[in-house]
Amino acid sequence: MGEPIARQIVAGSPQAQALNQAGRAPVRFVPQRDLPDGQAYEDYIFSTAQVPTREGLHDFFNALCWMHFPLAKKRLNQLQAREIARAGVGQVRGPVRDAATVFDENALLIQPSDALWDALTEHRWADAFVGLRAEWPQTRLWAFGHAALEKAVQPYKSITVHMWRVPLSLAPADIDAWLAQDLTADKLSRKPFSPLPVLGVPGWWAANEDPAFYEDTRVFRPHRVKARAEKPYANQEILPLA
């Protein structure tokens, strides 16, 4: 889906125009200058069904996510707009908006076995990536976060995403509808994320064929419960927010 649009942009079409021509999103993409001064980005999307879009990869990947996950993206926007209506914008987003933004920018959907999920969330990296390596070809993954996708264009070892578990029983065609229901304010406020150094995924980076790849504790860090309690996401890389 993305390659034909990218070719139009490279050929000189304005990014918003090329994205709209694809006709695959429940919103229209408009130039960033259409966002009125003083109006919050998410509030503008909610009230107009238009997404202010800058030239460049970050907003390009955001638009592709709107095309692939229209119901989930709409749900995230509704949650953001509801919180803005309730509490205003302010300097601090609050727990729901903060978590929704982290998800929007950096989520990776994963459909693992119980054994693999436990190993990943407990940061037993050798078990997850070496001991259970045979499970990865059957483990489905969907990149959702557009900031994570942008970073993957020029990959480096420490790129870290936030995993969101998808039930094994769910068919791929049902992911978007399920996710739109699963993304609740209550669940997001509890920040149910777990970090994944994404280039550790077998087959995604040639260097990880060597088991020693996972011994780098600067990237594959041990679980630190206290650090998470003191400061959310203290034990993982945070990607820049839009």
Side-chain angles (χ1 to χ4, degrees):
M1 178 191 300
E3 290 184 9
I5 303 171
R7 286 196 292 269
Q8 292 182 52
I9 295 168
V10 170
S13 294
Q15 186 156 296
Q17 176 182 314
L19 291 165
N20 287 327
Q21 287 175 352
R24 298 290 298 272
V27 292
R28 288 187 68 253
F29 302 98
V30 297
Q32 181 70 22
R33 63 177 178 272
D34 285 9
L35 177 64
D37 291 341
Q39 184 168 10
Y41 170 83
E42 295 287 353
D43 181 59
Y44 180 79
I45 295 172
F46 181 76
S47 60
T48 68
Q50 298 183 118
V51 179
T53 302
R54 300 163 296 188
E55 302 291 328
L57 287 174
H58 190 87
D59 286 7
F60 175 76
F61 286 129
N62 181 51
L64 293 188
C65 287
W66 271 104
M67 297 176 193
H68 280 281
F69 302 102
L71 298 176
K73 286 287 285 187
K74 186 175 181 180
R75 176 60 174 162
L76 286 169
N77 175 244
Q78 289 171 341
L79 289 168
Q80 293 266 18
R82 183 183 301 168
E83 288 298 304
I84 290 170
R86 182 186 65 81
V89 178
Q91 293 184 343
V92 178
R93 287 189 177 93
V96 175
R97 289 192 63 212
D98 179 57
T101 301
V102 169
F103 187 99
D104 197 24
E105 295 277 347
N106 208 37
L108 179 86
L109 311 179
I110 182 169
Q111 199 172 37
S113 68
D114 288 343
L116 182 55
W117 178 253
D118 289 345
L120 289 169
T121 55
E122 293 167 11
H123 299 191
R124 292 187 281 110
W125 305 117
D127 291 342
F129 292 117
V130 181
L132 296 171
R133 200 171 187 86
E135 290 202 11
W136 283 95
Q138 291 78 46
T139 301
R140 293 191 178 102
L141 302 148
W142 295 266
F144 189 102
H146 52 283
L149 286 166
E150 181 185 18
K151 287 207 168 192
V153 172
Q154 295 183 311
Y156 53 90
K157 188 175 183 178
S158 63
I159 296 175
T160 301
V161 295
H162 293 74
M163 293 187 295
W164 190 274
R165 190 179 188 182
V166 175
L168 274 173
S169 60
L170 203 64
D174 298 327
I175 295 291
D176 186 34
W178 169 83
L179 186 57
Q181 294 296 317
D182 199 48
L183 287 166
T184 65
D186 179 63
K187 186 171 183 178
L188 282 166
S189 68
R190 291 182 272 115
K191 296 183 173 63
F193 305 115
S194 191
L196 174 69
V198 73
L199 293 186
V201 173
W204 285 24
W205 192 245
N208 72 35
E209 292 296 325
D210 183 352
F213 181 84
Y214 303 104
E215 296 173 6
D216 183 353
T217 57
R218 296 169 302 175
V219 175
F220 297 94
R221 301 180 184 182
H223 205 291
R224 293 172 57 195
V225 176
K226 288 185 178 180
R228 179 182 289 271
E230 291 165 2
K231 183 179 180 181
Y233 315 120
N235 193 35
Q236 56 197 269
E237 178 187 19
I238 296 297
L239 297 175
L241 303 179

